[in-house]
């Protein structure tokens, strides 16, 4: 069941649109949102959290339009949809102990006695794998992983239905990252939580998300089952992202080339970086269409899908990088 | 010959040892990676090699080229930092003066080393090309370039100054994967084609496995394992190394289905 969705959403800062006509549904499984910095993924997350009004399109919460919610409805929405950011310290007041931060969230939405509250805080901290004694500490007395766990406990305190996770592990050491991902996976299953996971790390969505969307320059260029996207990318950009991920003992990651090339204003926005771009890509912006179980916005998706990875045209790197000097 | 050589390095703050490295060598054309988590002592070790650890007791023997780092005069240290060894940090933009065009920055750095005029221009352009940037970038200000370009420019600056040794502290952690890949490609190329000695600090083992010739795994200030990268990653002997390796998120292999006989892709798409 869809809990939260963007439907044809366009978002702008001032007169500059940064998200164009994006649709995305978050259901009870995990949904991944992948893209580089500047792709619009965090802006879309802000809109899904009700922090930004779409210029056009709708943010749908349950069966209604978020913009049409009354006071009570909005309060309920703010409880049900909880954000978790990259760095736990952003979510925690540096002057407050972990216990006080969680208590603040608890009492905003529920009335409870002091004893009940202490019990609930201890239970939440235990649930995120921390010793309840950490309740007495302030953020600077904790490690990055502990802070992120406290931030997650705080989000869970209000019994949300959905988490919006914006790069929740990017600032953490790899082993801590792995434990936080384990934790999120377990909590989502135990609490029946839906979640949107925003990241530039394909390995992370591969583990946690049933479906994923890939954003480039404010548009969703490919979406579908995560396994399909990772093992059989249909958009050249998805493939470039995949190729760039370093793998243990694998080939050196492939530079996607021309990452500084701007998104094209006409035709396909990816064409200036695309190794497959042809005349049609400048003339006509590809519309998202169904291709073998996913939606993809590329004129040449079938060729991408059916070209063996080893012989696929890729942007070369090293001496032949296309941004190599002229002359 | 080793361009960086460390023996019996011990860095202490009060009674606490924050890094202890018995042996570390980086030869020309070689990349050695220091891996471990926050607090493992990897950055301290890297900074020690340039005499940049302050407020701590550093003992042992460190040589960069033919310079004995712990015995060198401040002037001699500045000279190695400027021209022989270059330090590349996580956020390059923070290291670039925002009020100067990149070309001006480069020219001033070169002038400090006595390189001026047409010679300086040539060195600047050559450095920028070596990191696969267009020399046009020299006309821009730091805020007009991306994080990956700024990182590559920082490397170009070091090259123009004639660095033989590159010390890189998490040079790709703040970058997108696609941009990371470009920086790694540049580092590999400089190591292979220019014979740079690269000492890399990273917590990203997958990334390290694609570039390092040898790795040194650190934990709580001590070396827990070291050896040729391929060997350490294939047969880690220390449980901590195994834990680090296991923590790397797996990406499934790419598969390409054979074309179905009856439906060629072009026909499956209407109106293409």
């Amino acid at each position: 069941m869809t809990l939260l969705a963007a439907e044809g959403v366009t978002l702008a800062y001032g007169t500059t649109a940064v998200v164009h006509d994006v649709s995305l549904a978050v259901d009870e499984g995990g949904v991944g949102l992948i893209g580089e910095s500047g792709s619009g993924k965090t802006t879309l997350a802000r809109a899904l959290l009700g922090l930004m009004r779409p210029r056009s399109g709708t943010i749908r919460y349950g069966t209604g339009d978020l913009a049409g919610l009354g006071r009570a409805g909005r309060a309920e929405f703010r409880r049900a949809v909880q954000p978790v950011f990259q760095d736990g310290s952003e979510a925690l007041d540096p002057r407050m102990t972990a216990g006080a931060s969680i208590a603040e969230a608890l009492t905003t939405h529920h009335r409870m006695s002091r004893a009940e509250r202490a019990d609930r805080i201890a239970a939440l901290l235990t649930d995120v794998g921390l010793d309840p004694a950490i309740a007495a500490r302030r953020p600077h007395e904790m490690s990055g992983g502990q802070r992120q766990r406290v931030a997650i406990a705080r989000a869970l305190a209000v019994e949300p239905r959905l988490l919006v996770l914006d790069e929740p592990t990017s600032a953490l050491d790899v082993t801590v990252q792995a434990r936080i991902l384990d934790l999120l996976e377990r909590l989502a299953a135990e609490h029946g939580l839906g979640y949107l996971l925003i990241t530039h790390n394909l390995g992370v969505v591969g583990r946690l998300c049933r479906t994923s969307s890939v954003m480039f320059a404010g548009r969703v260029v490919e979406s579908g089952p995560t396994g399909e996207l990772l093992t059989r990318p249909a958009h050249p950009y998805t493939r470039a992202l995949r190729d760039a991920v370093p793998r243990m003992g694998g080939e050196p990651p492939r530079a996607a080339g021309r990452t500084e090339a701007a998104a094209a204003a006409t035709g396909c926005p990816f064409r200036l970086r695309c190794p497959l771009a042809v005349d049609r890509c400048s003339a006509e912006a590809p519309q998202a269409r169904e291709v073998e179980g996913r939606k993809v916005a590329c004129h040449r998706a079938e060729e991408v899908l059916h070209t063996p990875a080893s012989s696929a045209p890729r942007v070369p790197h090293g001496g032949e990088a296309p941004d190599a000097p002229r002359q | 010959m080793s361009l960086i050589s460390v023996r019996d390095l011990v860095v202490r703050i009060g009674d606490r040892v924050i890094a202890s490295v018995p042996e570390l060598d980086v030869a020309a054309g070689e990349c050695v990676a220091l891996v471990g988590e926050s607090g493992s002592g990897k950055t301290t070790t890297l900074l020690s090699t340039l005499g940049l650890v302050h407020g701590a007791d550093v003992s042992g023997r460190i040589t960069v080229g033919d310079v004995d780092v712990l015995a060198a005069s401040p002037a001699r240290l500045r000279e190695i930092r400027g021209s022989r060894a270059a330090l590349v940090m996580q956020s390059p933009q923070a290291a670039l003066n925002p009020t100067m065009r990149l070309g001006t920055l480069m020219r001033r750095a070169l002038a400090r080393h006595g390189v001026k005029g047409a010679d300086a221009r040539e060195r600047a352009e050559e450095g920028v090309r070596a990191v696969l940037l267009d020399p046009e970038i020299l006309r821009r200000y730091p805020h007009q370039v991306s994080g990956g370009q700024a990182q590559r420019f920082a490397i170009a600056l070091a090259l123009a100054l004639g660095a033989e040794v590159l010390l890189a502290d998490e040079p790709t952690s703040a970058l997108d994967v696609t941009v990371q890949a470009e920086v790694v490609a540049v580092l590999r190329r400089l190591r292979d084609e220019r014979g740079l000695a690269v000492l890399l600090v990273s917590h990203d083992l997958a990334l390290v496995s694609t570039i390092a010739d040898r790795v040194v795994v650190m934990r709580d200030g001590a070396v827990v394992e070291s050896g040729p990268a391929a060997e350490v990653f294939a047969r880690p002997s220390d449980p901590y190394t195994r834990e680090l390796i296991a923590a790397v998120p797996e990406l499934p292999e790419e598969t390409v289905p054979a074309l179905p006989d009856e439906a060629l892709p072009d026909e499956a798409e209407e109106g293409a």
Side-chain angles (χ1 to χ4, degrees):
Chain A
M1 191 185 81
T2 299
L3 299 171
L4 184 64
E7 291 174 357
V9 164
T10 294
L11 298 164
Y13 293 109
T15 54
T16 313
V18 292
V19 169
H20 308 268
D21 190 22
V22 163
S23 296
L24 178 91
V26 190
D27 57 18
E28 278 141 346
V31 174
L33 183 57
I34 309 158
E36 293 169 331
S37 7
S39 61
K41 54 194 198 306
T42 295
T43 302
L44 181 60
R46 285 169 54 88
L48 287 167
L49 285 165
L51 300 173
M52 193 171 171
R53 237 170 231 280
R55 165 170 292 183
S56 61
T58 311
I59 303 291
R60 200 163 289 286
Y61 172 58
T63 51
D65 182 344
L66 187 58
L69 286 181
R71 216 184 145 93
R74 284 196 78 82
E76 156 60 17
F77 171 79
R78 280 200 298 272
R79 181 194 66 77
V81 181
Q82 288 288 319
V84 174
F85 298 112
Q86 183 166 348
D87 186 346
S89 53
E90 282 174 45
L92 304 173
D93 188 323
R95 296 163 304 180
M96 280 162 95
T97 62
S101 278
I102 297 171
E104 186 186 52
L106 279 175
T107 51
T108 309
H109 297 279
H110 301 280
R111 235 171 253 204
M112 51 177 70
S113 73
R114 186 174 289 208
E116 274 173 338
R117 204 166 69 195
D119 283 352
R120 184 88 178 100
I121 292 170
L124 283 162
L125 288 169
T126 309
D127 201 13
V128 297
L130 291 171
D131 182 337
I134 208 163
R137 290 203 219 157
R138 290 187 169 76
H140 73 271
E141 299 168 311
M142 298 180 237
S143 70
Q146 287 171 332
R147 275 198 294 268
Q148 196 57 297
R149 283 172 195 262
V150 171
I152 293 168
R154 190 179 193 271
L156 292 178
V158 298
E159 293 168 16
R161 300 179 63 195
L162 194 85
L163 297 179
V164 174
L165 307 155
D166 193 352
E167 299 276 10
T169 63
S170 305
L172 304 171
D173 277 322
V174 274
T175 54
V176 182
Q177 268 181 28
R179 283 180 225 126
I180 296 283
L181 294 177
D182 287 342
L183 173 71
L184 289 171
E185 205 169 13
R186 174 174 67 77
L187 291 172
E190 285 177 8
H191 297 255
L193 282 171
Y195 55 92
L196 175 68
L197 176 62
I198 300 170
T199 178
H200 70 275
N201 188 330
L202 270 69
V204 170
V205 288
R207 237 191 86 180
L208 265 82
C209 300
R210 211 160 48 198
T211 60
S212 290
S213 295
V214 178
M215 273 184 93
F216 178 79
R219 293 173 177 82
V220 171
V221 295
E222 185 170 4
S223 62
T226 308
E228 284 287 300
L229 261 55
L230 295 185
T231 55
R232 299 177 58 211
H235 196 285
Y237 178 60
T238 313
R239 175 167 266 174
L241 282 176
R242 223 210 101 87
D243 283 351
V245 177
R247 268 172 292 169
M248 285 300 299
E251 294 242 310
R254 284 176 200 263
R258 312 189 62 160
T259 53
E260 48 264 39
T266 58
C268 173
F270 187 63
R271 68 188 161 84
L272 300 177
R273 280 174 62 176
C274 186
L276 294 170
V278 291
D279 289 346
R280 187 181 172 197
C281 306
S282 336
E284 183 191 339
Q287 299 302 309
R289 58 198 172 95
E290 291 281 342
V291 180
E292 301 188 32
R294 79 277 313 278
K295 273 188 115 167
V296 56
C298 173
H299 296 309
R300 304 185 68 184
E302 286 79 3
E303 291 160 80
V304 179
L305 266 170
H306 292 285
T307 310
S310 52
S311 63
R314 298 174 200 237
V315 182
H317 61 79
E320 310 82 33
D323 58 340
R326 299 178 289 251
Q327 288 182 350
Chain B
M1 195 202 93
S2 290
L3 287 175
I4 301 175
S5 161
V6 173
R7 293 289 176 276
D8 305 317
L9 171 72
V10 179
V11 183
R12 277 193 194 84
I13 294 179
D15 296 336
R16 209 160 61 90
V17 173
I18 56 169
S20 165
V21 178
E23 189 177 3
L24 173 69
D25 290 287
V26 190
E30 183 182 47
C31 174
V32 175
L34 294 169
V35 303
E37 297 181 283
S38 326
S40 62
K42 56 193 197 300
T43 296
T44 300
T45 303
L46 175 125
L47 294 175
S48 300
T49 59
L50 287 184
L52 286 171
V53 175
H54 303 294
D57 287 331
V58 184
S59 65
R61 192 178 157 73
I62 301 167
T63 49
V64 173
D66 52 1
V67 178
D68 181 341
V69 171
L70 296 182
S73 67
R76 191 95 166 94
L77 277 181
R78 275 198 299 276
E79 190 191 312
I80 6 173
R81 283 176 206 149
S83 57
R84 305 203 63 166
L87 187 58
V88 177
M89 310 291 280
Q90 190 168 339
S91 308
Q93 256 139 339
L96 304 175
N97 185 334
T99 67
M100 270 186 220
R101 292 180 199 271
L102 298 181
T104 311
L105 240 142
M106 177 86 92
R107 211 166 47 243
R108 292 209 179 174
L110 284 165
R112 243 174 278 134
H113 289 81
V115 185
K116 292 182 179 154
D119 207 13
R121 195 168 320 118
E122 202 173 296
R123 287 264 285 268
E125 290 191 1
E126 200 257 344
V128 164
R129 282 202 197 95
V131 296
L132 310 179
L133 289 171
D134 190 313
E136 181 273 325
I137 201 166
L138 293 168
R139 288 203 295 273
R140 296 200 225 159
Y141 287 95
H143 72 273
Q144 295 171 318
V145 305
S146 69
Q149 287 174 314
Q151 195 58 287
R152 284 188 280 163
F153 175 77
I155 298 171
L157 187 57
L159 291 174
L161 295 171
E164 302 162 327
V165 172
L166 198 65
L167 302 156
D169 189 2
E170 301 279 7
T172 64
S173 305
L175 305 173
D176 279 317
V177 279
T178 44
V179 180
Q180 266 182 26
E182 287 176 345
V183 172
V184 169
V186 164
L187 289 177
R188 288 175 61 91
R189 199 174 119 115
L190 296 176
R191 174 196 63 184
D192 298 342
E193 293 176 13
R194 296 199 164 210
L196 239 64
V198 182
L199 181 59
L200 171 72
V201 160
S202 178
H203 72 273
D204 185 341
L205 265 74
L207 183 106
V208 163
S209 78
T210 65
I211 176 167
D213 301 298
R214 288 185 299 123
V215 287
V216 176
V217 185
M218 295 187 73
R219 182 183 203 180
D220 297 332
V223 172
V224 298
E225 180 164 6
S226 66
E231 219 165 273
V232 170
F233 289 131
R235 284 174 297 281
S237 66
D238 189 87
Y240 179 65
T241 313
R242 285 199 285 275
E243 192 191 337
L244 283 177
I245 293 171
V248 176
E250 284 278 337
L251 198 59
E253 283 304 313
E254 192 170 346
T255 56
V256 175
L259 284 173
D261 287 341
E262 66 278 23
L264 284 168
D266 281 347
E267 293 164 6
E269 184 194 352
E270 41 187 317

